[in-house]
Amino acid sequence: MADVDIATRAPESDAQEGQTASGIAGDTKVDQGAASMGEITKYNDIDVYVSKPQDYPHTSGKLLLLLTGGTGVHSTNNQLQADKYAEEGFLVVMPDQFAGDPAPTTTTSTAPAEAHPSIIEQVKLGVASVAKSFTIDMWLARHTPEKVLPILHAVISSVKEEYADAVSSGGGIYAVGYCFGAKYVLLLAAELEKDVVSGQRAPETQAEEGMVKQGPQIKCGAIAHGTQITVSELAGVSVPMCVVAVKEDSLFPDHVREEGVEAMQKNGLEHEVKVYEGVPHGFAVLGDYADEGIVGKQKDAFGQMLGWLKAH
């Protein structure tokens, strides 16, 4: 997440253009009058945004776990994204993966770009870039699988009881993940050793011999423009998975995606992959994009992910 040029109008970005709609770092503007229809509640002392189908509980919707990018559960855009799935019949649960610590914002120069910036301006931009990179790296270091997975499992345990009807209706839990959240959809879609699930050990480290495995925790998943994803995480998925990606995305490199998809194919995993060109990282989450081409592809990505979930 250290790239200075990534998705300055996308919800995953830590750049701001003036006052944001929700006050959360990086949240892009939403249409005037736009308001989310769900509510924030707590499960196991964890903030969770819940958005229900209009006719629930008369008609039980399938339970959908939505994992956000760095802007988190209080982002208006993320809440509206959850509402879109609720409007399609899903009971959406969107947990605060960051324990009240969403991605920070750091100020960079807003002066008009010069064709040939002075040496001093180049130095200023360089310093801002380093500061921004350091700030985001420190934030990421606070939110590792050892910290995030126990939060997710605590929420899953609670909602399985609270919304047992929705879990039963769908035959399990569905999940979508954007940016940061995409990595965790993949982890929830895999068998993990018990000490990884409990946060006692990082997924990439060596397990003790004979360690009991758990999972997967979901029955079907869809991810969009993931960050920090590894080939082994893609290869470890054991439930049907849909992947939305951005061509030449520095946060989800082509070679990682290609090698991971190749492993899925070898494992005989049911999957769907679509790579979008001419869009920024983060494009699939609702935001204020002036470019109609981006808006159109955002709708296409939502349709792809929604269609995948409904088909399973």
Side-chain angles (χ1 to χ4, degrees), residues 21-294:
S22 66
I24 296 296
D27 203 12
T28 56
K29 298 174 184 176
V30 295
D31 293 335
Q32 277 194 332
S36 54
M37 66 181 192
E39 63 178 3
I40 297 284
T41 185
K42 282 186 181 289
Y43 291 111
N44 279 322
D45 292 326
I46 299 162
D47 280 353
V48 178
Y49 179 79
V50 178
S51 188
K52 301 174 182 177
Q54 193 170 22
D55 56 355
Y56 182 84
H58 301 294
T59 302
S60 182
K62 298 176 181 179
L63 186 68
L64 177 66
L65 183 73
L66 193 157
L67 304 183
T68 72
T71 49
V73 70
H74 294 282
S75 155
T76 299
N77 286 336
N78 289 335
Q79 292 179 2
L80 292 173
Q81 191 76 42
D83 292 348
K84 282 174 67 68
Y85 286 103
E87 289 168 0
E88 295 292 339
F90 289 92
L91 195 163
V92 186
V93 172
M94 186 170 72
D96 177 10
Q97 306 165 91
F98 313 118
D101 178 33
T105 184
T106 53
T107 304
T108 55
S109 174
T110 57
E114 299 177 24
H116 303 287
S118 66
I119 295 296
I120 292 176
E121 190 61 29
Q122 290 180 50
V123 170
K124 286 181 180 178
L125 290 171
V127 170
S129 174
V130 171
K132 179 177 177 180
S133 173
F134 179 76
T135 301
I136 295 298
D137 287 346
M138 290 294 289
W139 178 80
L140 287 170
R142 296 196 298 273
H143 301 290
T144 61
E146 299 96 303
K147 298 289 181 64
V148 176
L149 282 173
I151 291 174
L152 298 181
H153 281 274
V155 170
I156 288 171
S157 177
S158 291
V159 298
K160 277 183 175 179
E161 294 183 16
E162 181 75 15
Y163 301 114
D165 57 337
V167 176
S168 176
S169 175
I173 296 174
Y174 294 74
V176 292
Y178 295 88
C179 304
F180 182 99
K183 178 186 182 77
Y184 291 90
V185 167
L186 297 179
L187 290 174
L188 293 175
E191 286 191 342
L192 299 176
E193 287 81 7
K194 191 174 181 180
D195 57 345
V196 172
V197 172
S198 64
Q200 296 174 331
R201 179 173 62 84
E204 66 273 11
T205 57
Q206 187 67 38
E208 292 182 16
E209 188 175 348
M211 178 62 69
V212 176
K213 288 191 174 184
Q214 295 182 354
Q217 299 296 315
I218 60 175
K219 68 163 290 183
C220 174
I223 64 172
H225 37 66
T227 59
Q228 295 189 302
I229 287 175
T230 66
V231 173
S232 62
E233 286 165 353
L234 287 164
V237 170
S238 57
V239 303
M241 186 62 61
C242 172
V243 178
V244 168
V246 175
K247 188 173 180 62
E248 297 179 352
D249 183 353
S250 63
L251 300 181
F252 188 12
D254 291 350
H255 72 89
V256 171
R257 183 191 70 251
E258 290 163 358
E259 291 177 35
V261 170
E262 184 179 349
M264 287 180 173
Q265 292 170 339
K266 288 181 178 178
N267 293 338
L269 181 79
E270 184 184 359
H271 65 282
E272 176 181 286
V273 180
K274 185 172 180 179
V275 180
Y276 292 77
E277 297 188 45
V279 291
H281 178 90
F283 83 99
V285 180
L286 289 177
D288 179 28
Y289 292 105
D291 187 331
E292 288 301 318
I294 296 176

